Amino acid sequence: MDVHEQVEAYLACQPEPKRADLRTVHARVLAEFPGCRLWFSDGRNEAGKVVANPGIGYGVRTITYANGSSREFYRIGLGANATGISVYVLGLPDRTHLARSYGESIGKAGVTGYCIRFRRLSDIDQDVLLAAIRDAMALEPGNH
């Protein structure tokens, strides 16, 4: 199964109305960044152990570890959680940036150093969410 099929299967197995909300965010990100690299993570590590919720990724960033090794990973993550939806905005140099820049204006959402969580898409300002995504995608031009 290619990544598009994995993403579609993931979206299809979500309950409504979460499925529709995830599809809307997914479509908006792809419309904004049509050439971005698309990822799907089933939440398992190399050993097959579940370490995270499954999710969709967009863009590319390089993670460099303390031991000097590095790997590519997505810049934006989208996934379902127990109570709603999480959008991960990765690679921001300042862990207070998301909350400071978008926390007050996004609506009914929890905003941490790298994650925006909300129950329903109708609870937030979608344009503010897209602005936060644009912010992160702009950090490494050409890598989306």
Side-chain angles (χ1 to χ4, degrees):
M1 204 178 332
D2 77 6
V3 70
H4 295 282
E5 292 168 330
Q6 290 174 309
V7 167
E8 181 52 39
Y10 171 70
L11 293 172
C13 77
Q14 298 302 314
E16 287 295 356
K18 196 181 293 189
R19 178 186 320 146
D21 287 350
L22 285 164
R23 285 188 187 280
T24 298
V25 175
H26 177 64
R28 289 201 68 186
V29 173
L30 291 180
E32 185 74 21
F33 303 100
C36 76
R37 182 168 168 187
L38 185 63
W39 303 66
F40 180 75
S41 170
D42 64 3
R44 297 178 188 275
N45 66 11
E46 297 79 24
K49 181 180 176 187
V50 175
V51 295
N53 289 331
I56 305 165
Y58 309 90
V60 179
R61 65 186 284 263
T62 301
I63 300 172
T64 303
Y65 297 99
N67 69 3
S69 67
S70 63
R71 73 176 178 120
E72 288 186 335
F73 199 63
Y74 51 80
R75 182 159 293 286
I76 303 297
L78 171 64
N81 61 48
T83 60
I85 295 172
S86 295
V87 175
Y88 300 95
V89 183
L90 306 174
L92 296 173
D94 176 359
R95 294 192 48 86
T96 66
H97 177 75
L98 264 185
R100 272 188 302 104
S101 300
Y102 305 104
E104 294 291 319
S105 58
I106 197 160
K108 203 167 146 184
V111 182
T112 66
Y114 65 92
C115 185
I116 301 170
R117 287 188 181 91
F118 49 94
R119 185 175 294 277
R120 292 288 324 265
L121 199 49
S122 60
D123 291 340
I124 66 164
D125 184 324
Q126 292 181 45
D127 292 332
V128 173
L129 176 64
L130 195 57
I133 291 169
R134 275 191 212 108
D135 207 3
M137 292 291 265
L139 290 175
E140 289 184 41
N143 284 334
H144 4 98

